[in-house]
Amino acid sequence: MSHPLYGKLRPVTPLASVLLAQNPSPMTLEGTNTWVLRAPGVEECVVVDPGEADEEHLGRVAAHGPVALVLLTHRHHDHAGGARRFAELTGAPVRALDPSLVLGSEALGDGDVVAVAGVEVRVVGTPGHTSDSLSFLLDGPDSETAVLTGDTILGRGTTVIAHPDGALRPYLDSLRRLAELLPGTAVLPGHGPELPDAPAAAAAYLAHREQRLEQVRGALGRLGPDATARQVVELVYADVDRALWPAAEWSVRAQLDYLRASA
């Protein structure tokens, strides 16, 4: 699969540019977005989610350095798999919520503020897709704000709840938190195109999740309360590409846990 943006650094906001990794799949869309953050006129940069252990992509990202710091939105390999190698290439420390991913620095936590490369990044805990998912709020010039959401909100479609590490209740709480951001806060996602308004995107995701929950409730009414996740997927996701059914099954397991815990 070819894409005109592979290998090209594309400016998106005054502080953020994106380099699209060439790892397309049904789960990653066109590929993983590696974000490069720096203030105008500043030489060093912050890299968010260097991506998989792909030497060509990591080398391209490193060429836009010097890299002062690497931030990870979560542990999945398409975002963090190349972090250790990227640290070797650039000498930059790596920070994440999961201590096992941290290199040469300290773990991140909700509410932390990271000031590097002329930018100020506020860490927002947004668990749900995974237990260690973070978003990064970026204040730009002229009151422009953006939030890097990893896989919590995608640029197209909806994300999977990666059960059992991911869970629906914290994910809904995370979406509600993002829905409270200032209107006009841009979404800089881990996959897909940027979106113009984080509160609107989060509200749409919440509506979608409620719709899916209603469908799962309906499926349990037809199949019985002990129906398996696979049985529910076959009924609720009948119109979805079967290549996505394994991922849908993760989300359904999370929804079943949520509904059964609430019963």
Side-chain angles (χ1 to χ4, degrees):
M1 178 179 177
S2 181
H3 192 284
L5 294 179
Y6 285 147
K8 298 178 182 178
L9 188 69
R10 178 173 64 90
V12 176
T13 78
L15 302 181
S17 299
V18 64
L19 194 67
L20 179 62
Q22 194 167 351
N23 61 333
S25 76
M27 294 291 289
T28 61
L29 304 179
E30 293 85 5
T32 300
N33 291 328
T34 294
W35 291 94
V36 178
L37 313 178
R38 57 160 58 94
V42 175
E43 184 180 11
E44 64 182 10
C45 68
V46 177
V47 169
V48 179
D49 291 352
E52 299 179 1
D54 176 337
E55 286 289 320
E56 186 173 1
H57 177 69
L58 297 178
R60 284 173 175 165
V61 178
H64 293 287
V67 180
L69 179 65
V70 178
L71 301 177
L72 301 178
T73 61
H74 65 296
R75 64 171 62 94
H76 282 163
H77 76 279
D78 56 310
H79 295 257
R84 182 173 293 275
R85 175 58 180 152
F86 189 69
E88 293 174 354
L89 291 172
T90 62
V94 178
R95 299 189 68 185
L97 178 63
D98 183 345
S100 72
L101 299 174
V102 174
L103 297 168
S105 187
E106 57 185 355
L108 292 169
D110 179 55
D112 285 351
V113 176
V114 178
V116 184
V119 299
E120 190 171 276
V121 178
R122 180 158 62 88
V123 179
V124 183
T126 49
H129 169 69
T130 61
S131 62
D132 70 326
S133 287
L134 299 173
S135 295
F136 301 123
L137 190 61
L138 188 63
D139 289 323
D142 301 322
S143 300
E144 291 185 36
T145 59
V147 60
L148 292 92
T149 55
D151 285 356
T152 299
I153 293 179
L154 305 180
R156 186 175 68 253
T158 56
T159 198
V160 66
I161 309 300
H163 183 275
D165 179 48
L168 183 58
R169 191 174 301 279
Y171 184 62
L172 295 176
D173 289 342
S174 294
L175 291 177
R176 294 185 186 106
R177 191 172 187 188
L178 293 173
E180 294 175 352
L181 294 177
L182 289 173
T185 298
V187 174
L188 310 181
H191 305 281
E194 58 273 13
L195 300 174
D197 190 85
Y205 264 50
L206 284 164
H208 171 79
R209 286 296 165 193
E210 185 53 45
Q211 181 186 43
R212 282 298 192 207
L213 278 170
E214 283 302 312
Q215 291 173 330
V216 172
R217 289 187 186 101
L220 293 177
R222 293 176 57 183
L223 298 169
D226 297 325
T228 66
R230 179 67 179 196
Q231 289 172 318
V232 173
V233 167
E234 291 173 356
L235 191 61
V236 172
Y237 290 80
D239 59 343
V240 174
D241 185 344
R242 289 196 176 203
L244 297 174
W245 277 15
E249 193 168 340
W250 294 341
S251 287
V252 167
R253 288 182 191 277
Q255 290 172 86
L256 290 174
D257 282 357
Y258 175 86
L259 291 173
R260 288 165 177 164
S262 303

